[in-house]
Amino acid sequence: NKRVVLKRHVTGFPTEDDMELVPATARLAVPPGSAAVVLKNLYLSCDPYMRSRMSRHDEPSYVPDFVQGEVLTALGVSKVVESGHQDYKPGDLVWGMTGCEEYTLITNLESHFKINHPELPLSYYTGVLGMPGFTAYAGFFEVAKPKKGDYVFVSAASGAVGQLVGQLAKITGCYVVGSAGSDEKVNLLKTKFGFDNAFNYKKEQDLTATLKRYFPEGIDIYFENVGGAMLDAVLLNMRLHGRVSVCGLISQYNLEQSEGVRNLFCIITKRIRMEGFIVTDHYGSYRKFEEEMAGYLKEGKITYVEDVAEGIESFPTALIGLFYGRNIGKQLVVVARE
């Protein structure tokens, strides 16, 4: 049972050396009388929120820190191989939090979901049909509350979440522009994901002027994935009663000292509503989302791009790549194929 453990807690940018692939063994049996299951992990998800878990925090965060020397945990797609739980039997496919390893004993299944659409690619449950897809859905519909005709801006728009926010906005009848960090990603936004326009933020000298160019009328909804200078530029370009759905701040995750935001006065003058959210708070409506999204995928209304790394040993490199923008689309790791 090969597993990826945290070698040391991280400050600044993480490296592959902060993690270690170690050999171990797993008992493919559940403790007698327990309601646990043993999972064979098929696909593991690499997500930006994991960066915060790699550091040691004095004040607890919404998700606990990883423990030095212990196996990392990630969202994954797995197959039940042994079960003491009445609702799960061997062969069942599930997604939820699991170990970054080949086999994992799960004692608490409260945050796991059975997979209802195994006819779609199983890897989709690390992305479009899993946590990132549901993050896009909840953050856009339940937090930003879009209306037809709204002007929508999405940062980190080609990532696991951003690519879906843009497509959901188009289905809703909005005008959508995205930003990304390479010309290849910008091209993807315009040709594959149907964004009305997109730009490479690394080629722009003045983000405020750039946003003014793409949104001469201003922005109604900003789906925030990056923070920093982009947020400051957006605030100056928001329309009256605009909404900012704060999903992530990836530009800040590796800084020793977070950057400040200078244009907060705009929140008052433009009557902006800015709201952060954590996707697990919305899990009660996951099944509604799963059916809706599966329908869009089957109808060809939504397309999804994955960046797939092969083998558990590739997990550290795949995870670190997120913070350098190496991934094109949703980053995941194949542990085993079924």
Side-chain angles (χ1 to χ4, degrees):
N1 185 29
K2 289 186 296 222
R3 49 192 359 205
V4 179
V5 301
L6 185 72
K7 207 194 293 186
R8 65 179 79 86
H9 282 112
V10 177
T11 51
F13 268 88
T15 68
E16 285 91 338
D17 281 347
D18 295 320
M19 293 165 272
E20 188 174 19
L21 184 74
V22 299
T25 56
R27 256 178 75 80
L28 300 187
V30 297
S34 84
V37 299
V38 175
L39 299 179
K40 178 182 182 181
N41 297 319
L42 307 177
Y43 299 94
L44 293 175
S45 178
C46 297
D47 296 295
Y49 80 88
M50 296 172 73
R51 169 61 191 85
S52 138
R53 301 190 69 186
M54 295 174 82
S55 293
R56 190 189 278 115
H57 294 90
D58 297 328
E59 289 295 313
S61 180
Y62 72 95
V63 62
D65 298 345
F66 289 136
V67 179
Q68 197 169 330
E70 291 194 9
V71 68
L72 301 181
T73 55
L75 288 159
V77 174
S78 313
K79 186 172 83 168
V80 176
V81 289
E82 288 292 334
S83 176
H85 195 292
Q86 59 183 26
D87 297 335
Y88 293 86
K89 60 183 191 302
D92 282 351
L93 294 163
V94 299
W95 76 268
M97 200 57 79
T98 190
C100 293
E101 56 192 351
E102 293 171 284
Y103 294 91
T104 303
L105 176 74
I106 301 284
T107 52
N108 180 357
L109 286 148
E110 277 176 23
S111 63
H112 283 73
F113 296 95
K114 276 192 189 173
I115 285 173
N116 282 346
H117 289 280
E119 72 281 4
L120 290 166
L122 285 181
S123 59
Y124 278 10
Y125 281 89
T126 66
V128 58
L129 289 169
M131 182 277 286
F134 192 40
T135 298
Y137 184 91
F140 189 60
F141 291 117
E142 296 179 23
V143 179
K145 298 187 168 35
K147 300 186 296 292
K148 187 179 177 184
D150 276 348
Y151 295 106
V152 177
F153 176 51
V154 186
S155 54
S158 70
V161 175
Q163 57 174 295
L164 292 170
V165 175
Q167 293 178 82
L168 291 170
K170 289 308 298 175
I171 288 170
T172 309
C174 302
Y175 174 83
V176 193
V177 176
S179 65
S182 75
D183 292 345
E184 182 185 1
K185 292 177 181 180
V186 167
N187 187 47
L188 207 57
L189 292 174
K190 294 196 280 198
T191 58
K192 195 167 183 78
F193 300 136
F195 282 61
D196 294 291
N197 224 320
F199 63 89
N200 180 348
Y201 71 88
K202 291 178 182 171
K203 289 188 165 176
E204 300 296 333
Q205 303 301 312
D206 179 345
L207 290 171
T208 304
T210 302
L211 290 171
K212 188 95 185 140
R213 195 164 74 242
Y214 286 100
F215 294 100
E217 308 278 320
I219 300 165
D220 291 297
I221 291 174
Y222 173 40
F223 198 96
E224 166 68 298
N225 287 311
V226 302
M230 187 65 84
L231 175 58
D232 255 333
V234 166
L235 288 171
L236 293 173
N237 280 282
M238 291 296 288
R239 301 180 82 182
L240 288 186
H241 303 290
R243 287 89 73 206
V244 179
S245 180
V246 186
C247 173
L249 299 169
I250 197 168
S251 73
Q252 306 300 298
Y253 294 166
N254 299 304
L255 303 180
E256 301 277 345
Q257 186 71 50
S258 294
E259 293 168 343
V261 182
R262 286 191 287 270
N263 296 323
L264 289 175
F265 191 57
C266 296
I267 292 177
I268 302 169
T269 58
K270 299 174 185 233
R271 290 72 123 187
I272 296 166
R273 179 170 62 82
M274 190 169 171
E275 184 178 339
F277 71 100
I278 300 291
V279 67
T280 47
D281 295 346
H282 299 266
Y283 269 8
S285 48
Y286 171 73
R287 289 300 180 195
K288 173 178 175 283
F289 153 79
E290 184 188 22
E291 289 312 306
E292 206 171 307
M293 188 59 84
Y296 288 145
L297 288 164
K298 289 174 179 179
E299 292 160 21
K301 288 185 177 172
I302 280 194
T303 184
Y304 201 60
V305 169
E306 298 176 319
D307 196 322
V308 181
E310 292 285 340
I312 184 79
E313 59 283 351
S314 66
F315 189 89
T317 303
L319 180 61
I320 299 307
L322 291 175
F323 306 105
Y324 294 93
R326 290 184 201 134
N327 57 304
I328 307 281
K330 165 68 203 167
Q331 182 66 64
L332 64 113
V333 172
V334 181
V335 182
R337 291 185 190 275
E338 284 290 314

Coordinates of all heavy atoms in Angstrom, one line a residue, residues 205-271:
Q205 N -0.3 45.1 -18.3 CA 0.4 46.0 -17.4 C -0.5 46.6 -16.4 O -0.1 46.9 -15.2 CB 1.1 47.1 -18.2 CG 2.0 46.6 -19.3 CD 3.1 45.8 -18.8 OE1 3.8 46.2 -17.9 NE2 3.3 44.6 -19.4
D206 N -1.8 46.9 -16.7 CA -2.7 47.6 -15.9 C -4.0 46.9 -15.9 O -4.8 47.0 -16.8 CB -2.8 49.1 -16.5 CG -3.8 49.9 -15.6 OD1 -4.5 49.4 -14.8 OD2 -3.8 51.1 -15.9
L207 N -4.2 46.1 -14.8 CA -5.4 45.2 -14.7 C -6.7 46.1 -14.7 O -7.8 45.6 -15.2 CB -5.3 44.3 -13.5 CG -4.3 43.2 -13.6 CD1 -4.2 42.4 -12.3 CD2 -4.7 42.2 -14.7
T208 N -6.7 47.2 -14.1 CA -7.9 48.1 -14.0 C -8.3 48.5 -15.4 O -9.5 48.4 -15.7 CB -7.6 49.3 -13.1 OG1 -7.1 48.9 -11.8 CG2 -8.8 50.2 -12.9
A209 N -7.3 48.9 -16.2 CA -7.6 49.3 -17.6 C -8.1 48.1 -18.4 O -9.0 48.3 -19.2 CB -6.4 50.0 -18.2
T210 N -7.4 47.0 -18.2 CA -7.8 45.8 -18.9 C -9.3 45.4 -18.7 O -10.1 45.2 -19.6 CB -6.9 44.6 -18.5 OG1 -5.6 44.9 -18.7 CG2 -7.3 43.3 -19.2
L211 N -9.7 45.5 -17.4 CA -11.1 45.1 -17.1 C -12.0 46.2 -17.6 O -13.2 45.8 -18.0 CB -11.2 45.0 -15.5 CG -10.6 43.7 -14.9 CD1 -10.6 43.8 -13.4 CD2 -11.2 42.5 -15.4
K212 N -11.6 47.4 -17.6 CA -12.4 48.5 -18.2 C -12.7 48.2 -19.7 O -13.7 48.5 -20.3 CB -11.7 49.8 -18.0 CG -12.6 51.0 -18.4 CD -13.2 51.6 -17.1 CE -14.2 52.7 -17.5 NZ -15.4 52.6 -16.7
R213 N -11.6 47.7 -20.4 CA -11.7 47.4 -21.8 C -12.7 46.2 -22.1 O -13.5 46.3 -23.0 CB -10.3 47.0 -22.3 CG -10.1 47.0 -23.8 CD -8.6 47.0 -24.1 NE -8.0 45.8 -23.9 CZ -7.0 45.6 -23.1 NH1 -6.5 46.6 -22.4 NH2 -6.4 44.4 -23.0
Y214 N -12.7 45.2 -21.2 CA -13.5 44.1 -21.4 C -14.9 44.3 -20.9 O -15.9 43.6 -21.3 CB -12.9 42.8 -20.8 CG -11.8 42.3 -21.6 CD1 -10.4 42.5 -21.3 CD2 -12.0 41.6 -22.8 CE1 -9.4 42.1 -22.0 CE2 -10.9 41.1 -23.6 CZ -9.6 41.3 -23.2 OH -8.6 40.9 -23.9
F215 N -15.0 45.2 -19.9 CA -16.3 45.5 -19.3 C -16.6 47.0 -19.2 O -16.6 47.6 -18.2 CB -16.4 44.9 -17.8 CG -16.3 43.4 -17.7 CD1 -15.1 42.8 -17.4 CD2 -17.5 42.6 -17.9 CE1 -15.1 41.4 -17.2 CE2 -17.4 41.3 -17.7 CZ -16.2 40.6 -17.4
P216 N -16.8 47.6 -20.4 CA -17.1 49.0 -20.4 C -18.2 49.5 -19.5 O -18.3 50.6 -19.0 CB -17.3 49.4 -21.9 CG -17.5 48.1 -22.6 CD -16.8 47.0 -21.8
E217 N -19.2 48.5 -19.4 CA -20.4 48.8 -18.5 C -20.2 48.4 -17.1 O -21.0 48.6 -16.2 CB -21.6 48.0 -19.1 CG -21.9 48.2 -20.5 CD -22.7 49.5 -20.8 OE1 -23.6 49.8 -20.0 OE2 -22.3 50.2 -21.8
G218 N -19.0 47.8 -16.8 CA -18.8 47.3 -15.4 C -19.2 45.8 -15.2 O -19.7 45.2 -16.1
I219 N -18.8 45.3 -14.0 CA -19.0 43.9 -13.7 C -20.1 43.7 -12.7 O -20.1 44.4 -11.7 CB -17.7 43.3 -13.1 CG1 -16.5 43.5 -14.1 CG2 -17.8 41.9 -12.6 CD1 -15.1 43.3 -13.5
D220 N -21.1 42.8 -13.0 CA -22.1 42.5 -12.0 C -21.7 41.4 -11.0 O -22.0 41.5 -9.8 CB -23.4 42.0 -12.7 CG -24.1 43.1 -13.6 OD1 -24.5 44.0 -12.9 OD2 -24.1 42.9 -14.8
I221 N -21.0 40.4 -11.5 CA -20.6 39.3 -10.7 C -19.1 39.0 -10.9 O -18.7 38.8 -12.1 CB -21.4 38.0 -11.0 CG1 -22.9 38.2 -10.6 CG2 -20.8 36.8 -10.3 CD1 -23.8 37.0 -11.0
Y222 N -18.4 39.0 -9.8 CA -17.0 38.5 -9.9 C -16.9 37.2 -9.2 O -17.1 37.2 -8.0 CB -16.0 39.6 -9.3 CG -14.6 39.1 -9.2 CD1 -14.0 38.3 -10.3 CD2 -13.8 39.4 -8.1 CE1 -12.7 37.9 -10.2 CE2 -12.5 39.0 -8.0 CZ -11.9 38.2 -9.1 OH -10.6 37.8 -9.0
F223 N -16.5 36.1 -9.8 CA -16.2 34.9 -9.2 C -14.7 34.8 -8.9 O -13.9 34.7 -9.7 CB -16.6 33.7 -10.0 CG -16.8 32.4 -9.3 CD1 -18.0 32.0 -8.8 CD2 -15.7 31.6 -8.9 CE1 -18.2 30.8 -8.0 CE2 -15.8 30.4 -8.2 CZ -17.0 30.0 -7.7
E224 N -14.4 35.0 -7.6 CA -13.0 35.3 -7.1 C -12.3 34.0 -6.8 O -12.7 33.2 -5.9 CB -13.1 36.2 -5.9 CG -11.9 36.3 -5.0 CD -10.8 37.0 -5.7 OE1 -10.3 36.5 -6.8 OE2 -10.3 38.1 -5.2
N225 N -11.2 33.7 -7.5 CA -10.4 32.6 -7.2 C -8.9 33.0 -6.9 O -8.1 32.1 -6.5 CB -10.3 31.6 -8.4 CG -11.6 30.9 -8.6 OD1 -12.1 30.3 -7.7 ND2 -12.1 30.9 -9.9
V226 N -8.6 34.2 -7.0 CA -7.1 34.6 -6.9 C -6.8 35.6 -5.9 O -5.7 35.5 -5.3 CB -6.5 35.0 -8.3 CG1 -6.7 33.9 -9.3 CG2 -7.1 36.3 -8.8
G227 N -7.6 36.7 -5.7 CA -7.2 37.7 -4.7 C -6.1 38.6 -5.2 O -5.9 38.7 -6.4
G228 N -5.5 39.3 -4.3 CA -4.4 40.2 -4.6 C -4.7 41.3 -5.6 O -5.8 42.0 -5.5
A229 N -3.8 41.6 -6.5 CA -4.0 42.8 -7.4 C -5.3 42.7 -8.3 O -5.9 43.7 -8.6 CB -2.8 42.9 -8.3
M230 N -5.7 41.4 -8.6 CA -6.9 41.2 -9.4 C -8.1 41.7 -8.7 O -9.0 42.4 -9.2 CB -7.0 39.8 -9.9 CG -8.1 39.6 -10.9 SD -7.8 40.4 -12.5 CE -6.8 39.1 -13.3
L231 N -8.2 41.4 -7.4 CA -9.4 41.8 -6.6 C -9.4 43.3 -6.5 O -10.5 43.9 -6.7 CB -9.3 41.2 -5.2 CG -10.4 41.7 -4.2 CD1 -11.8 41.4 -4.7 CD2 -10.2 41.0 -2.9
D232 N -8.3 44.0 -6.3 CA -8.3 45.4 -6.3 C -8.8 46.1 -7.6 O -9.5 47.0 -7.6 CB -6.8 45.9 -6.0 CG -6.7 46.4 -4.5 OD1 -7.7 46.8 -4.0 OD2 -5.6 46.3 -4.0
A233 N -8.3 45.5 -8.7 CA -8.7 46.0 -10.0 C -10.2 45.8 -10.2 O -10.9 46.6 -10.8 CB -7.9 45.4 -11.1
V234 N -10.7 44.6 -9.8 CA -12.1 44.3 -10.0 C -13.0 45.3 -9.2 O -14.0 45.8 -9.7 CB -12.4 42.8 -9.6 CG1 -13.9 42.6 -9.4 CG2 -11.8 41.9 -10.6
L235 N -12.7 45.6 -8.0 CA -13.5 46.4 -7.1 C -13.7 47.8 -7.8 O -14.8 48.3 -7.7 CB -12.9 46.6 -5.7 CG -12.9 45.4 -4.8 CD1 -12.1 45.6 -3.6 CD2 -14.4 45.0 -4.5
L236 N -12.7 48.3 -8.5 CA -12.9 49.6 -9.2 C -13.8 49.5 -10.4 O -14.3 50.5 -10.9 CB -11.5 50.1 -9.7 CG -10.5 50.5 -8.6 CD1 -9.2 50.8 -9.2 CD2 -11.0 51.7 -7.8
N237 N -14.0 48.3 -10.9 CA -14.8 48.0 -12.1 C -16.2 47.4 -11.8 O -16.9 47.1 -12.8 CB -14.0 47.1 -13.1 CG -13.0 47.9 -13.9 OD1 -13.3 48.6 -14.8 ND2 -11.7 47.8 -13.4
M238 N -16.5 47.2 -10.6 CA -17.8 46.6 -10.3 C -19.0 47.6 -10.5 O -18.8 48.8 -10.4 CB -17.9 46.2 -8.8 CG -17.0 45.0 -8.4 SD -17.4 43.5 -9.2 CE -18.9 43.0 -8.4
R239 N -20.1 47.1 -10.9 CA -21.3 47.9 -11.0 C -22.0 48.1 -9.7 O -21.7 47.4 -8.7 CB -22.3 47.2 -12.0 CG -21.6 47.0 -13.4 CD -22.6 46.4 -14.4 NE -23.5 47.3 -15.0 CZ -24.5 47.0 -15.8 NH1 -24.7 45.8 -16.1 NH2 -25.3 48.0 -16.3
L240 N -23.0 49.0 -9.6 CA -23.8 49.1 -8.4 C -24.5 47.8 -8.1 O -25.0 47.1 -9.0 CB -24.9 50.2 -8.6 CG -24.4 51.7 -8.7 CD1 -25.6 52.6 -8.7 CD2 -23.6 52.0 -7.5
H241 N -24.5 47.5 -6.8 CA -25.1 46.2 -6.3 C -24.5 45.0 -6.9 O -25.1 44.0 -7.1 CB -26.6 46.3 -6.6 CG -27.3 47.4 -6.0 ND1 -27.4 47.6 -4.6 CD2 -27.8 48.6 -6.5 CE1 -28.1 48.7 -4.3 NE2 -28.3 49.3 -5.5
G242 N -23.2 45.1 -7.3 CA -22.5 43.9 -7.8 C -22.3 42.9 -6.7 O -22.4 43.2 -5.5
R243 N -22.0 41.7 -7.1 CA -21.7 40.6 -6.1 C -20.4 39.9 -6.4 O -20.0 39.6 -7.5 CB -22.8 39.5 -6.3 CG -24.2 39.9 -5.7 CD -25.0 40.5 -6.8 NE -25.5 39.6 -7.8 CZ -25.9 40.0 -9.0 NH1 -25.7 41.2 -9.4 NH2 -26.4 39.1 -9.9
V244 N -19.6 39.7 -5.3 CA -18.3 39.0 -5.4 C -18.5 37.7 -4.6 O -18.7 37.7 -3.4 CB -17.2 39.9 -4.8 CG1 -15.9 39.1 -4.9 CG2 -17.1 41.2 -5.6
S245 N -18.4 36.6 -5.3 CA -18.4 35.3 -4.7 C -17.0 34.8 -4.4 O -16.3 34.6 -5.4 CB -19.2 34.3 -5.6 OG -19.2 33.0 -5.0
V246 N -16.6 34.8 -3.2 CA -15.2 34.5 -2.9 C -14.9 33.0 -2.6 O -15.3 32.5 -1.6 CB -14.7 35.4 -1.6 CG1 -13.2 35.2 -1.4 CG2 -15.0 36.8 -1.8
C247 N -14.4 32.4 -3.6 CA -14.2 30.9 -3.6 C -12.7 30.6 -3.1 O -12.5 29.7 -2.4 CB -14.4 30.4 -5.0 SG -14.0 28.7 -5.2
G248 N -11.7 31.4 -3.6 CA -10.4 31.1 -3.3 C -9.5 32.3 -3.5 O -9.9 33.3 -4.1
L249 N -8.3 32.3 -3.0 CA -7.3 33.4 -3.1 C -5.9 32.8 -3.4 O -5.0 33.1 -2.7 CB -7.3 34.2 -1.8 CG -8.6 34.9 -1.4 CD1 -8.4 35.4 0.1 CD2 -9.0 36.0 -2.3
I250 N -5.8 32.1 -4.5 CA -4.6 31.3 -4.8 C -3.3 32.2 -4.9 O -2.2 31.7 -4.6 CB -4.7 30.3 -6.0 CG1 -3.7 29.2 -5.9 CG2 -4.7 31.1 -7.3 CD1 -3.9 28.1 -6.9
S251 N -3.4 33.4 -5.2 CA -2.2 34.3 -5.3 C -1.6 34.5 -3.9 O -0.5 35.0 -3.8 CB -2.6 35.6 -5.9 OG -3.3 36.5 -5.0
Q252 N -2.4 34.2 -2.9 CA -1.9 34.5 -1.5 C -1.4 33.3 -0.7 O -0.8 33.5 0.3 CB -3.0 35.2 -0.7 CG -3.7 36.4 -1.4 CD -2.7 37.5 -1.6 OE1 -2.1 38.1 -0.6 NE2 -2.4 37.8 -2.8
Y253 N -1.7 32.1 -1.2 CA -1.5 30.9 -0.4 C 0.0 30.7 0.0 O 0.3 30.0 1.0 CB -2.0 29.7 -1.1 CG -3.5 29.7 -1.3 CD1 -4.1 28.8 -2.1 CD2 -4.3 30.6 -0.6 CE1 -5.5 28.7 -2.3 CE2 -5.7 30.6 -0.8 CZ -6.3 29.6 -1.6 OH -7.6 29.6 -1.8
N254 N 0.9 31.1 -0.8 CA 2.3 30.8 -0.6 C 3.1 32.0 -0.1 O 4.3 31.9 0.1 CB 3.0 30.2 -1.9 CG 2.3 28.9 -2.3 OD1 2.2 28.0 -1.5 ND2 1.8 28.9 -3.5
L255 N 2.4 33.1 0.2 CA 3.1 34.3 0.7 C 3.3 34.2 2.2 O 2.4 33.8 2.9 CB 2.3 35.6 0.3 CG 2.0 35.8 -1.1 CD1 1.2 37.1 -1.3 CD2 3.3 35.8 -2.0
E256 N 4.5 34.6 2.7 CA 4.7 34.7 4.2 C 3.8 35.8 4.8 O 3.3 35.6 5.9 CB 6.2 35.1 4.4 CG 7.2 34.1 3.9 CD 7.4 32.9 4.7 OE1 7.0 32.9 5.9 OE2 7.9 31.9 4.2
Q257 N 3.6 36.9 4.0 CA 2.8 38.0 4.5 C 1.7 38.2 3.4 O 2.1 38.6 2.3 CB 3.6 39.2 4.7 CG 2.9 40.4 5.3 CD 2.6 40.1 6.8 OE1 3.4 39.8 7.6 NE2 1.3 40.4 7.1
S258 N 0.4 38.1 3.7 CA -0.6 38.3 2.7 C -0.6 39.8 2.3 O -0.4 40.7 3.1 CB -2.0 38.0 3.3 OG -2.1 36.6 3.5
E259 N -1.0 40.0 1.0 CA -1.1 41.4 0.5 C -2.4 42.0 1.0 O -3.4 41.3 1.2 CB -1.1 41.3 -1.1 CG 0.2 40.9 -1.7 CD 0.1 40.6 -3.2 OE1 -1.0 40.4 -3.7 OE2 1.1 40.5 -3.8
G260 N -2.4 43.3 1.1 CA -3.6 44.0 1.5 C -4.5 44.3 0.3 O -4.1 44.1 -0.8
V261 N -5.7 44.8 0.6 CA -6.6 45.2 -0.5 C -6.9 46.7 -0.3 O -7.2 47.1 0.8 CB -8.0 44.4 -0.4 CG1 -8.9 44.8 -1.5 CG2 -7.7 42.9 -0.5
R262 N -6.7 47.5 -1.4 CA -6.7 48.9 -1.2 C -8.0 49.6 -1.5 O -8.3 50.6 -1.1 CB -5.6 49.6 -2.1 CG -4.2 49.4 -1.5 CD -3.2 50.2 -2.2 NE -2.9 49.7 -3.6 CZ -2.0 48.8 -3.9 NH1 -1.2 48.4 -2.9 NH2 -1.8 48.4 -5.1
N263 N -8.8 48.9 -2.4 CA -10.0 49.6 -2.9 C -11.3 49.1 -2.2 O -12.4 49.1 -2.9 CB -10.1 49.3 -4.4 CG -8.9 49.9 -5.1 OD1 -8.5 51.0 -4.7 ND2 -8.4 49.3 -6.1
L264 N -11.3 48.8 -1.0 CA -12.5 48.3 -0.2 C -13.6 49.4 -0.1 O -14.7 49.1 0.0 CB -12.1 47.9 1.2 CG -11.3 46.5 1.2 CD1 -10.9 46.2 2.7 CD2 -12.1 45.4 0.7
F265 N -13.2 50.7 -0.3 CA -14.2 51.7 -0.2 C -15.3 51.6 -1.3 O -16.4 52.0 -1.1 CB -13.5 53.1 -0.3 CG -14.4 54.3 0.0 CD1 -15.1 54.3 1.3 CD2 -14.7 55.3 -0.9 CE1 -15.9 55.4 1.6 CE2 -15.5 56.3 -0.6 CZ -16.1 56.4 0.7
C266 N -14.9 50.9 -2.4 CA -15.8 50.6 -3.5 C -17.0 49.8 -3.0 O -18.1 49.9 -3.5 CB -15.2 49.9 -4.6 SG -13.9 50.8 -5.4
I267 N -16.8 48.9 -2.0 CA -17.9 48.1 -1.4 C -19.0 49.0 -0.9 O -20.2 48.7 -1.1 CB -17.3 47.2 -0.4 CG1 -16.4 46.1 -1.0 CG2 -18.5 46.4 0.4 CD1 -15.7 45.2 0.0
I268 N -18.6 50.1 -0.3 CA -19.6 51.1 0.2 C -20.3 51.8 -1.0 O -21.5 51.8 -1.1 CB -19.0 52.1 1.2 CG1 -18.3 51.3 2.3 CG2 -20.0 53.1 1.7 CD1 -17.5 52.2 3.2
T269 N -19.4 52.5 -1.8 CA -20.0 53.4 -2.8 C -20.8 52.7 -3.8 O -21.8 53.2 -4.3 CB -18.8 54.2 -3.5 OG1 -17.9 53.3 -4.1 CG2 -18.1 55.1 -2.5
K270 N -20.4 51.4 -4.1 CA -21.1 50.7 -5.2 C -22.1 49.7 -4.6 O -22.7 48.9 -5.3 CB -20.1 49.9 -6.1 CG -19.2 50.9 -6.8 CD -18.1 50.1 -7.5 CE -17.1 51.0 -8.2 NZ -16.9 50.8 -9.6
R271 N -22.2 49.7 -3.3 CA -23.2 48.8 -2.6 C -22.9 47.3 -3.0 O -23.8 46.6 -3.3 CB -24.6 49.1 -2.8 CG -25.1 50.4 -2.2 CD -24.6 51.6 -2.9 NE -25.6 52.5 -3.3 CZ -25.4 53.6 -4.1 NH1 -24.2 53.9 -4.4 NH2 -26.4 54.4 -4.4

